[in-house]
Amino acid sequence: MTGFLGRLATANSLTPRDLRLHVTDLAGLSPSRPNLERAAAWTERLGALAPGHFDADARRNAMYVRCQHYGWQPALCKRCGYTQAPRSACRRCADGDQTSVRSRGGAVCNRHRRWHLDAADVDLASFPEYAHAERCLSGTLWKRGVGLATGELQLAATLIRCWMTDERPDARIEDRMSALEVGTLDADAVLLAAYPEVVRLATVLTDLSFASYLLSPRFSLAEQVWALEAAVITVMRGSTTARLHDVAEKIVTRGKAAVETAFGMRQNAHNKRPATLEKALVASSQRHRSCLLRHLSTVRIQILPYQPGLAVPRSRVLDRHRPLPDLVMVDA
């Protein structure tokens, strides 16, 4: 809604600040730290939009979540669903204005074939694979609860960047880096230069069967680390590296520890009976910052003997928390 207010101000020759103050005054909000989402009705009236426009848009673009209302399975919940953080809109779609949107999707505008993340405006017409990756993100991955800031894309990008530190990038990456004027593959540039591979790897990692194999106590750490390495080198068409092996081992070790924590979670602080495993996995994914736990299938993992441990937080507490990138990725 804030992005729409900025465009509305420009269309009426006002400054965004003046229009925000006007809407704040009409809605009776505090001028110091106003929550403009509560002024949606006035914004709709000023912009000649249909009543309920922003609510309908939020429901249409809500993230898939795991919550109590659907047995902790990915679903488009009307109560717990939320829109992803505002991101820069495509300049062509916004008629040259710099604005933000909360709609479904990622970093590519498939209408104009432009990269628009973080207010950038990069032509991707020569690389049709970006359009395919964007459709995958806004379709398959979106229904798994994966967005730009939920952690899975960052995890895939970290693995690819670690592979590139020891392995010379293949012709695909080199061509893109040259055409898109990417100098070095730091944490931000790798998403632009390898966006199709990042999305493809994230799709593999969040596959229900693959994620369950990767973190199940049924298999050895060495087998699971090799499976994660194999996923990366298959997508990148290369061979494994020492750096990739080290990071893959950290990710799997952390994930397996989080799964063991989930197996021991009890219903609450006063009840030692085991919590629902699906709920415990969501809670442990938040506690350990391990995003892959949200994609496990309890049917496909071996259940360890129950030993009472931590109490699982209340459902409303879990619903308020938003997915964050894994801590391993920050260290990598």
Side-chain angles (χ1 to χ4, degrees):
M1 193 181 75
T2 54
F4 175 78
L5 280 175
R7 297 193 299 273
L8 185 62
T10 301
N12 289 275
S13 301
L14 298 170
T15 65
R17 178 178 180 277
D18 288 340
L19 185 56
R20 284 198 300 270
L21 289 175
H22 179 60
V23 172
T24 300
D25 182 58
L26 288 174
L29 302 177
S30 169
S32 56
R33 298 186 64 180
N35 181 2
L36 291 176
E37 300 300 324
R38 297 173 57 187
W42 284 103
T43 304
E44 289 163 354
R45 292 172 65 178
L46 291 172
L49 299 175
H53 170 83
F54 290 111
D55 284 340
D57 187 66
R59 286 193 298 272
R60 183 171 58 253
N61 294 303
M63 294 286 297
Y64 279 66
V65 295
R66 287 180 178 261
C67 67
Q68 57 182 318
H69 303 110
Y70 289 87
W72 303 98
Q73 299 302 313
L76 193 58
C77 181
K78 293 183 179 180
R79 299 185 191 179
C80 306
Y82 64 96
T83 54
Q84 66 176 335
R87 69 189 197 283
S88 300
C90 169
R91 293 285 186 90
R92 305 297 177 89
C93 293
D95 296 327
D97 294 332
Q98 185 171 334
T99 186
S100 61
V101 293
R102 288 179 177 266
S103 59
R104 172 187 296 207
V108 177
C109 172
N110 275 357
R111 180 183 177 188
H112 296 105
R113 299 292 192 269
R114 312 292 294 189
W115 178 272
H116 57 84
L117 191 64
D118 297 331
D121 185 32
V122 181
D123 183 15
L124 300 174
S126 302
F127 303 103
E129 60 269 29
Y130 281 77
H132 176 76
E134 183 67 19
R135 287 193 295 271
C136 180
L137 177 61
S138 60
T140 300
L141 289 180
W142 195 265
K143 292 181 180 179
R144 297 178 185 177
V146 176
L148 282 174
T150 57
E152 292 84 354
L153 293 181
Q154 289 81 357
L155 177 63
T158 298
L159 286 165
I160 290 175
R161 183 164 62 94
C162 291
W163 174 82
M164 288 180 174
T165 57
D166 295 336
E167 183 84 6
R168 181 176 176 81
D170 60 20
R172 298 170 300 169
I173 307 299
E174 289 182 330
D175 288 346
R176 292 182 203 146
M177 290 176 64
S178 176
L180 304 176
E181 299 181 355
V182 176
T184 58
L185 283 173
D186 56 22
D188 295 324
V190 68
L191 191 60
L192 171 58
Y195 190 68
E197 289 75 23
V198 168
V199 172
R200 193 176 308 133
L201 180 57
T203 306
V204 173
L205 298 180
T206 58
D207 178 78
L208 193 124
S209 298
F210 185 85
S212 300
Y213 172 83
L214 198 65
L215 302 180
S216 173
R218 181 181 304 171
F219 305 102
S220 69
L221 177 65
E223 291 177 305
Q224 293 162 318
V225 171
W226 168 240
L228 184 52
E229 291 180 75
V232 178
I233 62 179
T234 299
V235 169
M236 300 307 297
R237 305 174 191 171
S239 56
T240 191
T241 66
R243 175 67 169 156
L244 174 61
H245 177 81
D246 291 342
V247 173
E249 187 172 35
K250 286 183 181 179
I251 291 170
V252 175
T253 301
R254 187 183 188 86
K256 294 187 74 169
V259 170
E260 292 180 7
T261 299
F263 285 163
M265 281 189 163
R266 46 202 171 99
Q267 291 183 1
N268 55 56
H270 310 290
N271 189 338
K272 291 189 176 181
R273 286 181 295 182
T276 303
L277 186 52
E278 286 79 5
K279 179 180 180 181
L281 287 169
V282 173
S284 191
S285 73
Q286 296 178 0
R287 182 180 183 87
H288 288 266
R289 294 277 290 272
S290 182
C291 62
L292 292 183
L293 263 69
R294 299 189 298 117
H295 304 280
L296 298 186
S297 167
T298 55
V299 176
R300 290 174 167 82
I301 57 179
Q302 180 184 14
I303 308 301
L304 296 176
Y306 175 64
Q307 295 291 333
L310 297 170
V312 69
R314 295 176 182 270
S315 296
R316 64 173 179 268
V317 174
L318 295 179
D319 293 340
R320 283 200 302 265
H321 289 173
R322 299 292 177 248
L324 296 170
D326 291 13
L327 290 175
V328 171
M329 298 183 304
V330 177
D331 300 334

